[in-house]
């Protein structure tokens, strides 16, 4: 079996060694991204996209399956030569859900404990006590109920937040009120104090958190985005923070990454910015998952995590 992996030469990551350990009988080839396509490369049975190279699929037009090393696949779907007739398989959890649960819970607890407010008061040397508030007084919504989103929704429910979930299709999660599709989106948002989005970037989700959507939230609500940057209309979010409609936001993903130095988010005390770290790929868990799926495909079995090209995730 031959596997091609797109990975910049300069990157000193453990991918090659991990794949060699996990699939000792396979031959591995590192595709240096965006080089001029070569006609003499060995055709791979499987391609792993650790870096979205524009020339990868010119050289490898017909693998049996393509794997990403991320949960989001927009950067791979955007590749012009991506073969559409074979499965594209994305990472499912592989250690990301636990990280993203911690991130979402931290933001939810900071909101509940009003720590952002006290931080701002500290800068002004203000000693003002606010009424205590517990999770059971907070309505929290999770947008996106895949493997990661449903784990976050459950974790919030365990902490006794009132949890609603929103997904494209109907989901059934114990203790969580689930809303499905754009028809039910407004009802999902109405009066939420805290909303966390883990939606993927698709044509349907672009700009989903715009002014109209965020105006439906409770006054003083807090928005968390750990899905993709283009879910949020950034100017609308800033305007709603300015007007006091939103008390703040915790943002890990942005329309442009790295977030440009001149971007207004950096300087806003109401907005917490993190550099796309809420769910980092863990190489050994990811390779173990990909290797298991390659073995399953070789046995002729179906695998999970196959991207629906029409849905976009
Ligand atoms: C990270 O953003 C991922 O999609 O895995």
């Amino acid at each position: 079996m031959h596997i091609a992996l797109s990975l910049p030469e300069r990157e000193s990551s453990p991918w090659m060694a991990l794949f060699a350990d996990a699939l000792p009988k396979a031959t591995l080839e590192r595709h240096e991204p965006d080089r001029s396509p070569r006609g003499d490369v060995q055709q791979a049975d499987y391609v792993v996209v650790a870096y979205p190279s524009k020339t990868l699929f010119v050289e490898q037009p017909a693998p049996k399956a393509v794997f990403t090393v991320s949960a989001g696949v927009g950067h791979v779907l955007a590749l012009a030569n991506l073969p559409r007739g074979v499965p594209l398989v994305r990472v499912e959890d592989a250690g990301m859900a636990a990280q993203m649960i911690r991130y979402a819970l931290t933001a939810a607890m900071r909101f509940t404990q009003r720590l952002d407010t006290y931080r701002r008061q500290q800068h002004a040397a203000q000693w003002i006590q606010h009424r205590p508030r517990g999770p059971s007084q907070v309505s929290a919504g999770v947008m996106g109920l895949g493997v990661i989103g449903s784990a976050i929704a459950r974790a919030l429910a365990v902490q006794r937040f009132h949890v609603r979930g929103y997904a494209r299709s109907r989901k059934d999660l114990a203790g969580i009120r689930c809303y499905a599709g754009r028809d039910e989106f407004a009802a999902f948002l109405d009066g939420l104090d805290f909303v966390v989005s883990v939606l993927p970037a698709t044509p349907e989700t672009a700009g989903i958190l715009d002014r109209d959507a965020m105006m439906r939230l409770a006054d003083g609500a807090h928005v968390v985005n750990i899905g993709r940057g283009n879910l949020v209309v950034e100017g609308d979010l800033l305007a709603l923070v300015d007007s006091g409609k939103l008390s703040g936001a915790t943002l890990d993903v942005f329309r442009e990454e790295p977030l440009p130095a001149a971007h207004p988010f950096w300087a806003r005390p109401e907005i917490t910015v993190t550099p796309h770290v809420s769910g980092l790929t863990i190489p050994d868990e990811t390779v173990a998952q990909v290797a298991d799926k390659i073995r399953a495909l070789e046995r002729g079995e179906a695998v999970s995590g196959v991207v629906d090209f029409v849905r976009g995730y």
Side-chain angles (χ1 to χ4, degrees), residues 69-72 96 228 276 279 281:
V69 297
S70 55
M96 276 185 219
R228 280 293 180 262
H276 202 138
T281 296

Side-chain angles (χ1 to χ4, degrees), residues 2 26 38 41 48 77 81 86-87 89 119 124 135 154 162 196 204-205 214 220 225 255 261 273 280 300-301:
H2 188 60
R38 293 207 325 248
V41 295
V48 179
L77 289 173
N81 295 296
V86 301
V89 188
R119 180 97 202 141
R154 277 193 289 268
H162 278 286
V196 44
E204 272 181 60
T205 62
M214 292 186 280
N225 187 14
R255 287 186 174 248
V273 169
L280 292 176
E301 295 165 13

Side-chain angles (χ1 to χ4, degrees), residues 189 207-217 231-241 243 245-246:
L189 293 167
I208 190 168
L209 284 172
D210 60 3
R211 183 188 153 80
D212 283 355
M214 292 186 280
M215 281 302 290
R216 292 194 168 272
L217 304 173
L231 306 174
V232 171
V233 180
E234 294 182 343
D236 289 359
L237 184 132
L238 265 178
L240 293 176
V241 169
S243 74
K245 170 68 190 175
L246 298 178

